[in-house]
Amino acid sequence: MLKLFLNYCVVLPLFILSCTSKVEKEEITSNIVHNKFGIQSVTPPKLLVTTDNNSEVINQFLQKNNIQKVGFINDVQFLDPNKPFTFSPLLLDRELTRAFPNTQESGIAYIDLEAPYLEYLMNANINSSEFKRSKKLFLEVLAYAKKARPNVKWGYYYVPFTTYWSRTKAFYDKDQRITEIIQNSDVLFPSIYIFYNKVNFSLENKSYLKENTEQVIRIAQKYNKKVYPLVMTRYHPSNASIGNETIAETDFRAYIATLKNTTYNGKSVDGIMLWNADGYSNHIQEPKLTQELKKSKQNFEQFYDQYLIEFISIMLEKK
C-alpha cells in the first residue's frame, strides 16, 4: 500500500454505477476478453472500494448504489516509533477512532502493517526472533482492534501472500507460516495488482492473475474465510517506467473479468476491492496523474469523479 496516502486520507465509501456503455460494445468487448483469457462466467463477486474521493457527486453515487465501504488502520499511526515490534495502545486507539468513531460501529476493514514485519513473516527463518516477534505483533494488533471494534470484520493487507515471479507451491504454502494470523482474521485481503505491460497485457498477466486468484481462493477455503483481493486502476508504482499510469480500459476489463471468473474447486473470490488514492496523488502532484489531468482539460474534482465512475462501471459488468 502507499503509506503517504494512508496517512493523508480518510476512508470513504464508493459504490457501483450501472454500466452506461452500449449493449453492442459490451458484447464485442466481452467476446474479446473471454476468448483471450479463456474465462467462464460465475456468480459476480461483491464489489468493495477504498478511496479518498469525498465529493458530493461521488457520495450521492455511493448512497444510491449501496455498496459496502472498507475502512483501514495504518501502521505508521500506531506503531511505537521508539520500540521495534511494538504498538502504542494510545496511538492505536486514536487510529481506530479515526476509522470507526463509534465503538459499536459495524463494517469491514484492513490493517496495513508492512515493512519490515511483513517481510519477516514471509521470509525470515520461523525460529528467528524477527519472525516470532513479527507474528506476535500481528496477532496483538489484530486482537486489540477486534476487541475495540467488535462489530467490524478485520483482516490484514497482503494476507495471504501473492507474487508475480515465484508462483510455486513452496511460495503459496507460506500461508502455513502465518496460520494463526489467518485463523484469527475475519476476512482476507490479498493484493493482486498489475506490475507489467511491456509487450502484451494478456501475455504478461494472464497466468499471474489466474494462478494467484486460484491460490487465494484455495487458502480462503482451507481456513474457511471470505477473500477480497485488492485491485488498482493504475500500474503499481514500483515499476519505474509505467508505475501510476492508468491501465487501458480493455486491459482493466480483462483484469477484473479474470479475477471474477477464476475458480478453485468450484468457488470464486467473495469480492474484489478497488483501492484508489488519486486524491493524494494530486496533492503531491504525481507526474503521471498530472499529465492525465492536463490532457482531460477538467479540474481535478471533475476528473476524479468521472475517472472513478468509469472504472467502477467496468467492475459492475457481469460479463
Side-chain angles (χ1 to χ4, degrees):
M1 306 299 287
L2 303 179
K3 292 292 185 182
L4 293 177
F5 159 65
L6 296 175
N7 294 334
Y8 173 78
C9 77
V10 175
V11 170
L12 299 163
L14 191 59
F15 301 85
I16 298 170
L17 179 70
S18 296
C19 186
T20 58
S21 58
K22 295 181 180 180
V23 173
E24 294 84 354
K25 182 178 179 181
E26 289 182 340
E27 291 177 348
I28 293 171
T29 304
S30 176
N31 289 336
I32 293 173
V33 170
H34 282 71
N35 290 337
K36 200 172 190 180
F37 279 67
I39 45 186
Q40 299 178 350
S41 296
V42 296
T43 302
K46 184 175 184 178
L47 299 186
L48 309 170
V49 180
T50 294
T51 183
D52 56 358
N53 188 329
N54 191 33
S55 72
E56 183 178 353
V57 171
I58 287 297
N59 284 337
Q60 291 177 354
F61 171 65
L62 312 183
Q63 294 172 5
K64 178 181 178 180
N65 291 280
N66 194 32
I67 301 297
Q68 188 174 12
K69 64 180 178 179
V70 177
F72 70 87
I73 56 174
N74 174 28
D75 57 5
V76 174
Q77 301 299 330
F78 63 75
L79 291 180
D80 190 325
N82 301 313
K83 297 179 181 179
F85 300 94
T86 306
F87 74 93
S88 163
L90 175 62
L91 295 178
L92 183 50
D93 280 334
R94 290 177 182 173
E95 182 68 348
L96 286 165
T97 298
R98 177 201 58 75
F100 297 98
N102 185 339
T103 60
Q104 297 305 309
E105 199 169 343
S106 62
I108 183 171
Y110 66 87
I111 303 170
D112 190 32
L113 179 49
E114 298 185 46
Y117 310 113
L118 194 56
E119 179 67 24
Y120 291 147
L121 288 180
M122 283 195 293
N123 298 317
N125 186 298
I126 60 173
N127 295 313
S128 68
S129 172
E130 289 82 5
F131 176 83
K132 291 179 179 179
R133 295 178 72 189
S134 294
K135 178 181 172 183
K136 182 173 181 289
L137 175 62
F138 269 65
L139 289 171
E140 288 180 345
V141 170
L142 179 60
Y144 195 100
K146 291 177 70 171
K147 183 177 181 180
R149 297 296 185 277
N151 297 322
V152 175
K153 294 185 181 299
W154 292 97
Y156 272 104
Y157 162 69
Y158 198 64
V159 172
F161 310 134
T162 55
T163 182
Y164 185 92
W165 293 108
S166 304
R167 301 194 301 272
T168 63
K169 184 178 185 299
F171 178 87
Y172 292 119
D173 282 346
K174 287 186 177 185
D175 71 284
Q176 297 173 23
R177 298 164 59 93
I178 55 171
T179 296
E180 289 183 71
I181 296 171
I182 295 177
Q183 288 177 330
N184 283 280
S185 297
D186 299 310
V187 295
L188 305 179
F189 291 108
S191 65
I192 306 183
Y193 296 145
I194 301 296
F195 297 87
Y196 303 106
N197 189 3
K198 293 181 180 180
V199 180
N200 177 275
F201 187 89
S202 175
L203 182 65
E204 294 175 73
N205 292 290
K206 176 181 176 180
S207 58
Y208 156 68
L209 292 171
K210 288 180 66 66
E211 290 174 24
N212 277 279
T213 303
E214 288 170 351
Q215 292 304 319
V216 300
I217 296 169
R218 176 186 69 83
I219 294 170
Q221 286 183 314
K222 176 180 177 181
Y223 296 97
N224 193 28
K225 303 292 180 180
K226 291 188 180 297
V227 60
Y228 304 110
L230 276 67
V231 302
M232 290 195 295
T233 62
R234 299 181 178 277
Y235 290 97
H236 195 272
S238 63
N239 187 319
S241 61
I242 63 172
N244 290 314
E245 284 185 10
T246 292
I247 300 170
E249 181 179 313
T250 300
D251 294 336
F252 186 78
R253 183 171 278 108
Y255 175 19
I256 298 303
T258 303
L259 268 63
K260 282 184 177 181
N261 293 288
T262 296
T263 62
Y264 181 86
N265 284 344
K267 187 180 185 301
S268 61
V269 295
D270 298 285
I272 299 173
M273 188 180 100
L274 176 64
W275 189 93
N276 181 277
D278 282 1
Y280 176 72
S281 294
N282 181 62
H283 176 72
I284 62 169
Q285 297 185 322
E286 196 286 317
K288 299 293 175 56
L289 175 62
T290 299
Q291 292 172 13
E292 292 179 12
L293 180 59
K294 183 177 180 180
K295 185 177 179 180
S296 76
K297 298 181 180 180
Q298 297 175 305
N299 62 43
F300 177 71
E301 289 72 22
Q302 294 171 326
F303 169 86
Y304 201 7
D305 289 342
Q306 181 178 320
Y307 183 90
L308 286 175
I309 289 171
E310 287 179 357
F311 278 96
I312 296 169
S313 296
I314 293 173
M315 296 181 71
L316 177 67
E317 295 173 1
K318 296 180 180 180
K319 302 295 185 180

